[in-house]
Amino acid sequence: MNLSKRCALKTFATAWNFIPWDKVYEKVRSLQRRIAKAISEGNRNKARALQWILTHSLAAKLLAVKRITENKGKNTPGVDGVLWKTPNDKLKAALSLSRKGYVVKPLRRVYIKKKNGKERPLGIPTMNDRARQALFLSALDPVSETSADLCSYGFRRKRSCHDAIERCYIHLSRKDSATSILEGDIKGCFDYISHDWIIDNILIDKKVVTKWLKAGYIDKNKLFPTKAGTPQGGIISPTLANMVLDGLEEAIYKSVNTRIRKHDGCRRNNHKIHFVRYADDFVVTGASKEVLMNVVKPVIADFLFTRGLTLSETKTKITDVYSGFDFLGQNIRKFSNGKLLIRPSKDNVKAVLSKIKNIIVEHRGAPTVELISRLNSVITGWTNYHKHIAATSHFADLDRFIWFYLWKWAKRRHSNKGNCWIANKYFKKVGNRKWTFFGTFDNKSEILLKYASDTPIKRHVLINGKANPYCAQWDKYYQHRYAKSKAS
């Protein structure tokens, strides 16, 4: 950004609430496109120079502060206890994001519970460190998207779990599809990534990323050094982890002599090897267990070893598609008639039922409208996640489960009232349904409980693996895809 444009932007930024964000986005977007173009042309030196310009631009600094002060972690402080809440604090912070004299503070270690009862450590950076990570992420993301594996869908723009599941469906649904599945899981991926590999291979400011990686963390008032890994909780960590794992797809295909046509990207794959990855979870399909065990698995192990990683022996296994396997909360199984069905996994169903039951129990004395709002949020989220698979019967089962516990909730709330009185107070007829749970606000307006079975099932349209959100040639594709998703 030249001096005149920088001064003009500073003039606009006299107050945070009056910043012209459309112009800010445009300036950052322009530089990101140039970085992506340089990477696609193989010009890393030019990309590095453009990254320097972007990370020193006021527009990128403003966006970095905006991003970390509007996400879910905006009220979670680091070790210094500082939060940026006022517009003046945000503007002052953006203007202070200078590389010179930058000192990283240790992470604040917190723990969250996992499904298996164990605890997962999270490292919470300070607001200042988060803003700088967001700043450098804006320069790194175009590099990551341009060089990413085609079948990598986790923590990437415009991609989701639905794309990964749809890719599995495409590779396994045909009569002549692969029948063996390698379910891969990397042991402590974020905890053991080699710092040296990141510094030597990822196109990012080496001095700054070294400071983040070596910052250490404070747990129970004690400082612990970090010799490996990227902290779970850092805004740039998922992208770094993705870039560490990029190249695994190509390594697997080369291991089985898969020939890639230069013009159309199609593969002649006699071994039916296909790779699908979401973050550090991945599956590899194969025509036989022998190929997966003796060829593919050793290649994966060697690839990970150079990056300081290993496969989890307990979670990595080879299964048969006719026995089924779980991936991203969904169960994928082929039946004897050749039909492939993807349905919510048993663990995922148990988790949502347990969550709903706990919500109902916790709201024993709460207003009905508050209970319905919480339940609608969970129902909407769960049904939207599973609405692209064969989940119709599961949606109906969820409705029955909720009705049963809501009836118990109402009976307990009014133990001295009859069934007819309770039914009239909490349930009403809506359309052909006589038992729609409802609540009334103070202004007499009503809120209805959402039915999971009202969510229509529609197959997800897989994103083009080559689509790059930072390349202008894909703009029309993304616009058409977005418009089609809204219309449906």
Side-chain angles (χ1 to χ4, degrees), residues 235-467:
I235 194 171
I236 201 172
S237 294
T239 301
L240 290 176
N242 260 340
M243 296 186 74
V244 168
L245 297 176
D246 283 334
L248 179 56
E249 180 180 358
E250 184 180 358
I252 291 173
Y253 289 141
K254 283 184 177 180
S255 69
V256 290
N257 298 321
T258 302
R259 291 175 292 179
I260 302 177
R261 297 177 184 173
K262 294 182 179 180
H263 299 292
D264 56 9
C266 296
R267 298 185 179 91
R268 294 177 180 176
N269 196 341
N270 296 329
H271 295 285
K272 301 176 183 178
I273 301 294
H274 295 287
F275 174 81
V276 182
R277 178 170 69 85
Y278 188 92
D280 59 337
D281 292 326
F282 61 89
V283 296
V284 185
T285 69
S288 66
K289 293 184 178 180
E290 289 74 20
V291 173
L292 293 177
M293 176 62 72
N294 301 326
V295 181
V296 175
K297 190 175 180 181
V299 169
I300 296 173
D302 291 342
F303 179 91
L304 296 178
F305 180 77
T306 60
R307 292 155 172 78
L309 301 172
T310 58
L311 286 171
S312 172
E313 293 299 329
T314 57
K315 296 182 180 179
T316 301
K317 53 188 176 181
I318 297 177
T319 56
D320 191 276
V321 70
Y322 291 100
S323 299
F325 65 97
D326 291 345
F327 185 52
L328 302 178
Q330 298 178 350
N331 179 263
I332 304 173
R333 182 182 177 186
K334 203 168 192 177
F335 292 85
S336 57
N337 61 359
K339 186 173 184 179
L340 182 79
L341 284 182
I342 304 179
R343 297 174 291 190
S345 67
K346 291 182 179 179
D347 289 341
N348 190 273
V349 172
K350 288 180 180 178
V352 73
L353 295 183
S354 176
K355 186 173 184 178
I356 286 174
K357 183 178 177 180
N358 290 336
I359 290 173
I360 295 174
V361 171
E362 291 170 1
H363 288 73
R364 284 174 177 170
T368 309
V369 293
E370 185 178 325
L371 171 61
I372 294 176
S373 297
R374 287 282 287 114
L375 289 176
N376 280 350
S377 176
V378 175
I379 295 168
T380 301
W382 194 76
T383 54
N384 282 344
Y385 184 79
H386 294 289
K387 67 181 180 180
H388 301 298
I389 60 174
T392 302
S393 61
H394 293 80
F395 290 172
D397 290 342
L398 182 63
D399 287 336
R400 285 191 289 269
F401 177 89
I402 294 174
W403 184 92
F404 176 76
Y405 276 96
L406 284 178
W407 182 255
K408 289 181 65 176
W409 173 87
K411 291 274 288 182
R412 184 185 183 281
R413 200 175 175 98
H414 304 282
S415 57
N416 60 338
K417 298 292 186 179
N419 291 344
C420 291
W421 186 93
I422 294 174
N424 291 331
K425 181 172 178 60
Y426 292 106
F427 300 89
K428 64 181 300 184
K429 183 176 181 180
V430 178
N432 294 326
R433 292 190 174 112
K434 297 180 180 180
W435 292 89
T436 300
F437 192 69
F438 77 101
T440 306
F441 291 99
D442 293 337
N443 60 2
K444 305 302 181 182
S445 61
E446 292 182 346
I447 180 173
L448 304 178
L449 181 71
K450 176 181 174 63
Y451 278 90
S453 54
D454 285 343
T455 304
I457 301 296
K458 186 175 182 180
R459 184 160 297 284
H460 178 73
V461 178
L462 179 67
I463 191 170
N464 189 319
K466 297 179 181 179

